[in-house]
Every structure is written in structure tokens, then in C-alpha cells.
Amino acid sequence: MKTIQEPARDIPVRAEVDILVVGGGPAGIMAAEAAAGEGVKVMLVESRGFLGGNLTIGLPILGFLGRKGNQIIEGSAQRFIDRLRARGAASEHRPCKNHMSLTIIDEEEVKRTALEIMEEKGVEVLFYTFFADAIREGDAVKGIVVESKAGREAILAKTVIDCTGDGDVAFRAGVECRKGDAEGGMQPPTLMFCMKGVDVQQLRDAIVGHPDVYDMDVMPPEQFRTGKFITVGLRTQIRQAQAAGYRIPVARTILITGLADDEIWVNMTRVSGVDSTRPESYTHGEIEGRKQMYEVARYLREFVPGFAGARIEKVAPFMGIRESRVIVGRYVLTAEDIIACRRFDDAIAVAGYPVDIHHAKGGDCTLYWCDDCYDIPYRTLVPAHVGSLLVAGRCSSMNHEAMASTRVMSTCMALGEAAGRAARLALKAGVQPAGLDVETLRDELRRTGAYLG
């Protein structure tokens, strides 16, 4: 690539804080909330004009419940849901054979509630600010460089928590990162969209009354008789549409009931080969995903009961990225750990969502479950060789297969809370996050309502 030489310049320091959270998605909101308190100065930097990340793109939250139906994600994540429910903006945690549980949320109320929490906790939020580089001195991260309409600036911090989803801070700080499977293949992203005017009862009746025609893979038809639901199936309808010339990028019809009675969110666009760390690739994904959306909507109106009079009501503000960079931390969680329901002495979260791999090529996916739930150790949040940095969310230290389980929002929220509490406790103890007494962290997590098994 051709290069130019940029002259050296002084970068103004916008702020100096105790704990800096980069990225305001599910992990970042929880991290900032948990880090605040006891006089700790916390800042949250977000590139968009709202908080919530994937909580705002029409997806339900999966995995609050475990394989045995018990709740395994609690603490700050549950309190967030409680606040939404008080406004009629979240459903109950409904058990689901495929996804452990399904929690429907109102994406606009998520934005409102997250900002209220930041204000209550005294977290300084900075929107429309892009992470550009990490400031590293020796083996420690001392802050970040940002770009905005105000130009290039620095924010200094005693501890940085990377909640970017793509491991941006860690990568720029020199932390070893990996992407994808052995061939570099990553799970493809989806552009979610919402259809209104759906006759949901007609869809229910078709699934319950004619399961031989409207199949739901492994989910029992009775599951769809009442309450909120997610469909994963209708393969015959997709094959019929493809035979008729429709270009459907997935093998299964994935539909999620919204909070309104006639509302369905559609999880069926899929663009293989997208790398969200490369802007030209991400751009291609957004453009292609929008094209696919109209074809999928046309398919639903023609082949799926209840959609004949439905219309596209709204589109997610950005694609939902399933996979990009992950760090190599002091421990790398594996699918073997998950399937074996492994326990760890330094567990800071418990999860139970299956290993759910959307194939890098083709339109299908593969799921593997553990018999109960599994632990996530604190060491997965701690980079192997770089200090003053924690990494929470889907970019924590997991291999390709394990990340296919830990990537869901409930788990990311739990990891964010653990990272935020760890950062504050480490500062209070005068140690690096890597040197924190993990039992102190585990005690605080339990005391504040987190479930650790």
C-alpha cells in the first residue's frame, strides 16, 4: 500500500480518568456501571450516538436461563432487564429448547435506560468518538487516542476496558489476537429488520397444527402455542422459494416475535466473508445485507403463513457481527471446556448457551450443548502480556468454537460486569488487574447478585 508521512504533532489530552471503557454495547454498559462508585472516575467512549450496541438491533437476549431451566445470568444484567420490564419494555425469560431462553426487549428503551444508569452512576459518556490507537508505555496501556469532529485527542486512564467487540484496543496495544477458524473463516453477520402487520396467530396455528409442513427443527410445536417465541426451521418453505427463483441466503427461517402483537423481527440476511475490522468488507456487508432484506421479506409474504399483509417497519442501525477478533488471554476457553461443563476456581460468570456456529460458507449452522452450564474464568478477560487492560465481551479470550457460545448478549453483559468490578477493585488494592485477588472479585460479584454456580 502506498504511504505518506504524517508530521509529528502534539496531541491534546482531553481527559484523565481512573477507568476508561471503550465501547458502549452490552459488555460496555455493564462494565462502566460496575466500575463506577467509591469516588472512581469512569468514562465511556462510544462511536455511535447511543448506547446499547447489539441490544438495539432487534435481537432478543438469549441465554439468561441454563440447560436445566434455572437462571444463570443475574446481577447487573438482570437489574437492567428489571428496569426495562417496569416500563413494559422487556418480556419474561422464556425457556427455549434451542437457545436456552428468549428475552424480548425494546431497543429504544434500552438506549434510554442505559443512559439513565450512566447518569445515576456518574459515568461520563462521550459519543461520536472513534478509538484510533492505544497509548502503551512499557508493558502497560496508559490510555487511548481518539478521533472526532474535535480532531485527534488523547484520553489517559489508569485502567482501560476494551468492550469494542472487535478487540480494537487490545490489538492496537500489541495483544496477540486471532480471527476465525483454522482457515480464517468467521461466522457471517446479519442485518436485522422488523416487519409489522404480521398475523402472528396464523403463524402459530400453522406451526402447531401442521408441524409436518411447517417444521421447527428440534423445537416442539407446542412451544409456539402461547407466549413469545423464535422460529428456527421452515426449511421446506425456503427450498420451495429457492426452486421458484428466490435468492434466500440461509437454510432456515428465523423469526422472533416482538413486544407488539403484530411485530416480527427477521434474522435471515447473511453475508459470508465479512470482516468487521476492515471497513471495505463491513461496507460490502451492509450493502449486500440491505439487498437481501427485501428478497427475504418477499419470500415471507409469499411462503410463510401470517406475512401476506406485512411490511418492513424498521431496519437495525447496523449489522450484527457474530465474530471478529478475540484476544489471547491468560486462559483461552475452548469448546471442550463448554461441552464438559467445566468448572474453574477463578470463575467470574456462568453461561449455558450452546456452541452455535453459523457456517462461514453456506446458509446453515451447527449447535452443540453441554448438559448443564459452564464457568468462564477471570483469566479470559486478562491479556497474556499487556497490563492495565481488561477485555470483555465477544472479544475475550475464547477459541473460535467457544466464542460461538460466549458471544450472546447475556454472557457479554456478565463478562462486562466482572471486568468493571475487577478494574475498580484492582485500583483500590493498588495492583494491576492481572494481580487482583480473584476471590475478592468473586465475593463482590456474589454480594451484588451475580450467579457463580
Side-chain angles (χ1 to χ4, degrees), residues 114-128:
L115 278 174
E116 286 177 348
I117 292 171
M118 296 304 103
E119 186 174 14
E120 292 165 7
K121 293 293 184 179
V123 175
E124 182 180 353
V125 177
L126 196 61
F127 285 143
Y128 304 115

Side-chain angles (χ1 to χ4, degrees), residues 74-301:
E74 296 184 347
S76 294
Q78 181 57 48
R79 288 189 287 275
F80 191 86
I81 298 299
D82 291 341
R83 292 180 69 137
L84 292 177
R85 281 185 186 157
R87 288 177 167 152
S91 71
E92 74 286 355
H93 303 313
R94 184 167 191 209
C96 176
K97 186 175 178 64
N98 258 12
H99 309 95
M100 302 305 92
S101 67
L102 180 73
T103 310
I104 309 297
I105 54 174
D106 182 299
E107 69 279 4
E108 293 303 324
E109 288 296 339
V110 163
K111 300 173 187 177
R112 174 188 179 189
T113 301
L115 278 174
E116 286 177 348
I117 292 171
M118 296 304 103
E119 186 174 14
E120 292 165 7
K121 293 293 184 179
V123 175
E124 182 180 353
V125 177
L126 196 61
F127 285 143
Y128 304 115
T129 304
F130 289 83
F131 167 80
D133 207 353
I135 301 169
R136 179 171 166 175
E137 294 180 10
D139 292 333
V141 175
K142 297 297 184 180
I144 65 172
V145 176
V146 297
E147 291 275 5
S148 70
K149 296 282 189 178
R152 194 169 177 86
E153 300 173 305
I155 301 173
L156 304 181
K158 296 173 183 174
T159 303
V160 177
I161 307 177
D162 184 344
C163 295
T164 61
D166 295 317
D168 292 333
V169 180
F171 178 73
R172 292 291 180 185
V175 175
E176 182 183 353
C177 295
R178 298 170 182 170
K179 284 193 292 190
D181 57 21
E183 299 176 351
M186 291 180 282
Q187 297 188 66
T190 290
L191 180 64
M192 296 287 295
F193 65 96
C194 173
M195 298 190 75
K196 291 277 281 186
V198 181
D199 187 338
V200 175
Q201 189 59 49
Q202 186 181 355
L203 178 60
R204 288 183 195 278
D205 291 344
I207 294 170
V208 174
H210 305 281
D212 55 326
V213 177
Y214 304 103
D215 67 290
M216 283 296 113
D217 283 11
V218 302
M219 292 187 286
E222 284 300 310
Q223 180 173 310
F224 301 91
R225 192 175 292 279
T226 60
K228 301 300 180 185
F229 63 81
I230 179 170
T231 73
V232 181
L234 299 169
R235 292 176 183 266
T236 300
Q237 284 63 43
I238 287 181
R239 287 193 293 267
Q240 290 172 349
Q242 290 171 334
Y246 286 68
R247 292 174 289 105
I248 309 300
V250 290
R252 306 174 304 168
T253 305
I254 305 177
L255 308 171
I256 305 137
T257 49
L259 290 172
D261 291 339
D262 67 339
E263 179 179 272
I264 290 282
W265 282 90
V266 183
N267 183 352
M268 290 180 64
T269 67
R270 177 174 295 187
V271 188
S272 296
V274 171
D275 183 345
S276 61
T277 68
R278 295 170 50 229
E280 71 279 10
S281 180
Y282 205 168
T283 300
H284 163 71
E286 292 280 355
I287 294 171
E288 179 61 26
R290 194 164 289 267
K291 291 177 182 177
Q292 291 180 4
M293 175 182 70
Y294 293 104
E295 184 78 342
V296 169
R298 192 167 72 97
Y299 150 72
L300 292 171
R301 293 190 194 101

